[in-house]
Amino acid sequence: MKTKILALGGVFLAAMPDIARACSVCFADSDDAVSQAFNWSIAFLMAAPYLVVGSIGGSLFYFYRRAVVKREQAEHAAEIQLSWHQEENGR
């Protein structure tokens, strides 16, 4: 019974090829607004993961560089700080 239903459905789709088209832009012209919208949406969906990963990586790099600069400034400030201790003087 299952085979007969699938065969009947195949014959039905073969008789009406407009219904059988699976691609949403196959029936549209290349200059059609619908096909242009599909092309832009595909481009956006392909670029979105790269933008997300790139922004996360960029922010991690920015925070790392900022931490290195702060650490260098703190080390430089510690070197410049002059303090006089009685023990070090030897008097």
Side-chain angles (χ1 to χ4, degrees), residues 28-50:
D29 294 332
S30 62
D31 294 335
D32 190 26
V34 174
S35 64
Q36 293 295 327
F38 278 117
N39 289 339
W40 278 106
S41 65
I42 290 169
F44 174 73
L45 289 174
M46 288 176 63
Y50 295 106

Side-chain angles (χ1 to χ4, degrees), residues 1 4 6 8 19 22 63 68 80 83 89:
M1 184 67 180
K4 290 179 182 178
L6 288 175
L8 184 62
I19 296 173
F63 290 132
V68 168
I80 294 177
S83 62
N89 193 5

Side-chain angles (χ1 to χ4, degrees), residues 13-32:
L13 289 177
M16 297 181 170
D18 290 337
I19 296 173
R21 290 187 180 161
C23 181
S24 58
V25 290
C26 288
F27 58 88
D29 294 332
S30 62
D31 294 335
D32 190 26

Side-chain angles (χ1 to χ4, degrees), residues 24-89:
S24 58
V25 290
C26 288
F27 58 88
D29 294 332
S30 62
D31 294 335
D32 190 26
V34 174
S35 64
Q36 293 295 327
F38 278 117
N39 289 339
W40 278 106
S41 65
I42 290 169
F44 174 73
L45 289 174
M46 288 176 63
Y50 295 106
L51 292 172
V52 170
V53 171
S55 63
I56 291 171
S59 63
L60 289 174
F61 181 74
Y62 172 75
F63 290 132
Y64 172 75
R65 291 298 301 157
R66 193 171 80 175
V68 168
V69 168
K70 283 186 177 182
R71 184 177 34 208
E72 288 174 354
Q73 288 176 349
E75 289 173 358
H76 185 66
E79 292 172 0
I80 294 177
Q81 184 179 15
L82 299 175
S83 62
W84 182 68
H85 296 288
Q86 188 70 20
E87 306 84 46
E88 293 177 1
N89 193 5

